[in-house]
Amino acid sequence: MLMPTASYPYPLSGTQLPCLIDGELIRSARSFENVSPVDGRVMCTVSEADAALVDRAVQAARRALRGPWGRLSTAERCALLRKVAERIEERSADFVSAEIADTGKTLQQARSLDIPRGAANFRAFAELAMGRPAECFEMGTPDGRGALNYTVHKPVGVVAVIAPWNLPFLLLTWKVAPALACGNTVVAKPSEETPSSAALLAEVMQEVGVPPGVFNLVHGFGPDSTGEALVRHADVNAIAFTGESATGSAIMRSAADSVKALSFELGGKNAALVFADADFDAALAGTMRSVFSNCGQVCLCSERVYVERPIFERFLEALTQRARALKIGGPYEGADLGPLISRRHRDKVLSYYALARAEHGELLCGGGVPSFGDQRDRGAFIEPTIIRGLAEDARCVKEEIFGPVCHVAPFDAEEEAVGLANDSRYGLAAAVWTSSLQRAHRVARQMEVGITWVNDWFLRDLRTPFGGVKLSGIGREGGMHSLAFFSEPMNICVKL
Ligand code: NAD
């Protein structure tokens, strides 16, 4: 049975979640249902913004650039962002239960990662914007008087932020916070699967006095809906998008006519390399985390695990045993693994389980859906799955599955391991497990990815560059890289 959730009531039930446009909460005529992935219950309905509402949001954001917001100093803007962080922390119970209601993720994760990181994003980018170094160059001139060049950082303008459903609040705020810190105005669109924490963020923006039009929120779908209307809009200056690589391509096409600035954080098919000299237990625990965190729905998750031959069988056996022991359940049950985001996504992951069998892989555990005998059977739960024996060109080894699943294969030499890891159209993240300092540095820098972890996984310092190569993205965010994307530098040259 599900544990009572009375202490974590869904803070938005019984309502139609509104959009926030120009400081006004707007409930549109068209709406869609927000369904729980835990038990299939409809929790609320959500206002869908059509092209006309998207246009209103963009126009409001444009006006706000010219209003009081545009005249604030960086210090004043950042003080407001710190208030946003504080208010998120004050309302963290609401945010945690909203995030859990939409995603079914475990209470432990929402409480320790998703929501605190959302608040931290506002604080971190406020600090970074305050500490942005000034740039100044003196130059000589033929008349000997010289000139002084200095850079001012202007906002890019109206920024569209489009976020996915896997870490909804963390990833939305990861872009909204630096965009605002740099003085832009924002029209944000969360995933249609996860509107709730964004709806609470809209409330917080109002509560702390962010001026109307500075942060606008529109709900809806992607193609032929809110998302497409937003990225096509001629008056949007930049798009910061996180999601699937194929969606990135579609957005690029939509944005091409008005030549918008793009920052893309896209999919991954990440490799973990486990060398025989690694600390076995640490590598095992780390790989469990990197495969199964958030039910495998993290862009950084390892879906390809390569293990050096001498420890291959032992590692695979231990990994399989641990995967079998994972407790699947609802968010408040102390489970290790919650549901996938939706039945639709579960069908996709299950189709890869079937494909793995068809491609002559051996499923060592999982491969199906659990049965609870209660309302959770109407949810989107799935078994954690470990596969061996696939060819390197099998689709299950090449394509992003985005579920609690990995393929494990042996390697014999370091060079071979590097080749296997890099033989991918994606290039987001890699994990290297070794106790050799030389090997760690040598292998890490050969990885064709945006981030390599050595002897850990998903350890994030918000000041560092984050992003991917190949199909995994365009550009970098994080630290000064975010500030660079969300600003237009202008040089002023003063003749002395
Ligand atoms: P998705 O691409 O289906 O959707 C992401 C967002 O884009 C949603 O808000 C959706 O409504 C919107 N969208 C879809 N089509 C659109 C269109 N044509 N125009 C405008 N907007 C559109 O992704 P998802 O399924 O929500 O998220 C999972 C994917 O995100 C995975 O591929 C994962 O690897 C990736 N991801 C990447 C990172 C990263 O940092 N690189 C982080 C998290 C997730």
Side-chain angles (χ1 to χ4, degrees), residues 277-487:
D277 62 15
D279 174 334
F280 189 89
D281 293 338
L284 184 62
T287 304
M288 282 299 292
R289 243 171 26 89
S290 79
V291 175
F292 297 115
S293 284
N294 206 42
C295 207
Q297 303 167 114
V298 180
C299 53
L300 307 163
C301 274
S302 315
E303 290 194 1
R304 300 180 293 141
V305 179
Y306 297 104
V307 186
E308 201 168 2
R309 183 94 54 191
I311 61 162
F312 176 73
E313 293 296 340
R314 184 172 152 232
F315 191 88
L316 184 54
E317 170 66 29
L319 195 70
T320 307
Q321 257 184 29
R322 290 232 190 161
R324 280 201 193 106
L326 287 172
K327 188 177 163 225
I328 309 172
Y332 300 103
E333 298 166 41
D336 304 301
L337 226 56
L340 292 173
I341 189 66
S342 63
R343 280 284 178 109
R344 202 170 72 123
H345 185 52
R346 185 172 78 173
D347 288 345
K348 176 185 158 188
V349 177
L350 284 172
S351 77
Y352 276 102
Y353 290 0
L355 182 63
R357 292 185 178 98
E359 289 181 319
H360 310 297
E362 184 187 350
L363 275 61
L364 300 175
C365 64
V369 301
S371 172
F372 297 99
D374 58 35
Q375 65 268 43
R376 290 171 295 181
D377 290 338
R378 292 195 291 274
F381 293 91
I382 194 164
E383 289 172 347
T385 299
I386 293 180
I387 309 166
R388 72 180 290 178
L390 289 171
E392 275 302 304
D393 61 356
R395 279 181 54 202
C396 286
V397 179
K398 290 290 168 217
E399 298 172 14
E400 182 184 48
I401 301 173
F402 221 53
V405 54
C406 68
H407 179 245
V408 189
F411 69 86
D412 292 296
E414 182 181 302
E415 208 178 321
E416 179 196 359
V418 169
L420 288 166
N422 288 341
D423 185 14
S424 172
R425 297 184 69 207
Y426 291 97
L428 187 56
V432 178
W433 297 90
T434 176
S435 56
S436 157
L437 192 60
Q438 286 85 347
R439 192 203 303 277
H441 289 288
R442 192 171 55 228
V443 172
R445 66 175 54 211
Q446 289 181 77
M447 296 290 98
E448 294 169 4
V449 294
I451 185 164
T452 297
W453 280 286
V454 177
N455 296 331
D456 211 321
W457 178 77
F458 206 171
L459 191 60
R460 292 277 298 119
D461 181 324
L462 305 187
R463 296 167 300 182
T464 58
F466 184 84
V469 303
K470 306 184 197 170
L471 276 186
S472 292
I474 299 178
R476 292 292 179 275
E477 293 182 29
M480 290 297 163
H481 300 271
S482 293
L483 301 190
F485 177 73
F486 291 110
S487 303

Side-chain angles (χ1 to χ4, degrees), residues 163-165 189 192 227 241-244 247 265-267 299 400 466:
W165 45 255
K189 195 200 85 64
E192 56 275 24
F241 167 73
T242 300
E244 279 189 26
T247 310
E265 296 180 336
L266 308 176
C299 53
E400 182 184 48
F466 184 84

Side-chain angles (χ1 to χ4, degrees), residues 241-256:
F241 167 73
T242 300
E244 279 189 26
S245 304
T247 310
S249 312
I251 291 179
M252 259 179 129
R253 282 191 288 274
S254 300

